[in-house]
Amino acid sequence: MAVHPLLAVQETPELEPFLGRVGEVFTTFRGQDSGCVSYGVRLTDGKRWFVKEARTEDGQRSLDRGWAFHRAIRHPAIVPQVHRIAVAGRWAVVMPWRDGEVLYRPTADAPGDRTSPGSAMARFRALPVAEVLRALDRILDAHLAVEDAGRVAVDFYDGSLLYDFTERKLHLIDLDEYRSGPFELAHDRLPGSRRYMAPEESERGAVIDARTTVFTLGRAARLLLDAGDEEAAWRGNAAQLAVIARAVRFDPAERFETLREFADAWRAAGQSPATAG
């Protein structure tokens, strides 16, 4: 079977005109703070693809890191990068399109929306607890593969979560900042959302390792399994909340040592019959 030009081309001087020639660009995402522009492309065979192009040096560094990450890790929840195209000295990467809505989508010009009733995050938080727990379990399972591959989470937040409300299925996207670990932070701060970041991610010289990922995933569980944005309406049980409390301790030595240890404790806590709502 012949390979479609989108997946065969190695280089093009301009990406957007090329995409228009090989298919239909049905949506474009501009104004992102990542330094990239992304496109949804529908080919003549009906298949849809997501194409992300670096427009800045920072965007290029992120795509380079992401390409290496996706060569090392495969997991059903992680949307893979399957091809890349050289564009005027930088890269664009091609991924299969996944239906769904990003739970939080800020742009360079405006913050995203987590709280209005029609927002993706508010609708996700209104799902039955069992469905949110299934989504969290998928996040954990994917990050166990990340840990097994010797990587640590960087810049993970609700903008990394694409949820298909029809199929009730969660996908992980934009994991380009994930890195081999442990490593020592050589700058003042890693990229990311303060709502999810461990204290050491803002401390030059700190060690970033599996315990940092534990903190981030603990914060994800706390924020996603709450009915609101003020962390005042916990929907899980007391045992789960206790697991989170240990995962997000300020001192990394007091957290779970590995993500697998955290995942085992979280899943065991989920067996408790006492729920908060």
Side-chain angles (χ1 to χ4, degrees):
M1 179 183 293
V3 178
H4 191 278
L6 179 62
L7 301 179
V9 66
Q10 300 299 310
E11 185 173 2
T12 184
E14 294 183 281
L15 183 65
E16 197 164 356
F18 167 75
L19 296 177
R21 291 194 298 272
V22 300
E24 173 199 357
V25 178
F26 63 86
T27 189
T28 304
F29 302 95
R30 304 186 192 275
Q32 307 299 300
D33 59 8
S34 64
C36 297
V37 174
S38 301
Y39 310 90
V41 184
R42 183 182 291 107
L43 305 184
T44 54
D45 60 6
K47 290 184 179 179
R48 293 179 296 167
W49 297 88
F50 184 86
V51 184
K52 186 175 183 179
E53 176 190 11
R55 291 286 186 88
T56 67
E57 289 300 320
D58 285 345
Q60 182 59 59
R61 281 190 288 270
S62 183
L63 283 194
D64 284 341
R65 188 176 287 116
W67 183 255
F69 170 82
H70 285 281
R71 307 282 69 73
I73 297 168
R74 292 283 192 276
H75 187 276
I78 299 174
V79 180
Q81 295 180 0
V82 299
H83 181 58
R84 65 176 178 172
I85 305 165
V87 184
R90 295 198 174 104
W91 290 108
V93 293
V94 182
M95 295 161 269
W97 180 268
R98 296 286 188 261
D99 288 324
E101 298 176 53
V102 179
L103 293 190
Y104 180 67
R105 188 190 289 280
T107 68
D109 301 321
D113 183 7
R114 292 187 175 99
T115 58
S116 67
S119 69
M121 177 60 83
R123 288 157 47 223
F124 178 83
R125 284 170 163 160
L127 293 172
V129 169
E131 293 189 25
V132 177
L133 287 173
R134 279 197 295 272
L136 281 167
D137 197 65
R138 189 166 164 90
I139 294 169
L140 276 175
D141 193 57
H143 281 85
L144 289 173
V146 170
E147 181 172 75
D148 288 344
R151 262 62 174 186
V152 294
V154 176
D155 195 21
F156 173 88
Y157 71 121
D158 37 14
S160 307
L161 304 177
L162 179 76
Y163 194 74
D164 185 337
F165 286 90
T166 300
E167 297 296 328
R168 294 293 197 260
K169 193 171 187 179
L170 181 136
H171 306 281
L172 297 177
I173 60 172
D174 288 342
L175 307 184
D176 295 341
E177 292 293 335
Y178 280 37
R179 307 176 190 195
S180 297
F183 67 91
E184 185 176 300
L185 180 56
H187 305 286
D188 291 334
R189 185 185 188 276
L190 283 169
S193 165
R194 292 193 182 278
R195 291 162 62 86
Y196 288 80
M197 292 175 71
E200 62 269 20
E201 294 185 79
S202 300
E203 182 184 342
R204 182 186 288 264
V207 174
I208 308 300
D209 60 13
R211 296 169 300 179
T212 310
T213 303
V214 165
F215 186 103
T216 298
L217 272 291
R219 288 294 295 154
R222 182 64 186 88
L223 291 164
L224 296 176
L225 199 56
D226 197 287
D229 215 37
E230 296 78 26
E231 301 181 42
W234 175 245
R235 302 179 71 204
N237 64 43
Q240 290 167 328
L241 200 57
V243 170
I244 290 172
R246 179 179 172 188
V248 301
R249 287 176 181 167
F250 184 90
D251 185 348
E254 296 180 356
R255 302 174 200 155
F256 297 99
E257 187 173 353
T258 66
L259 188 65
R260 190 165 298 278
E261 185 182 349
F262 167 68
D264 288 345
W266 173 260
R267 288 164 175 167
Q271 305 304 311
S272 171
T275 61

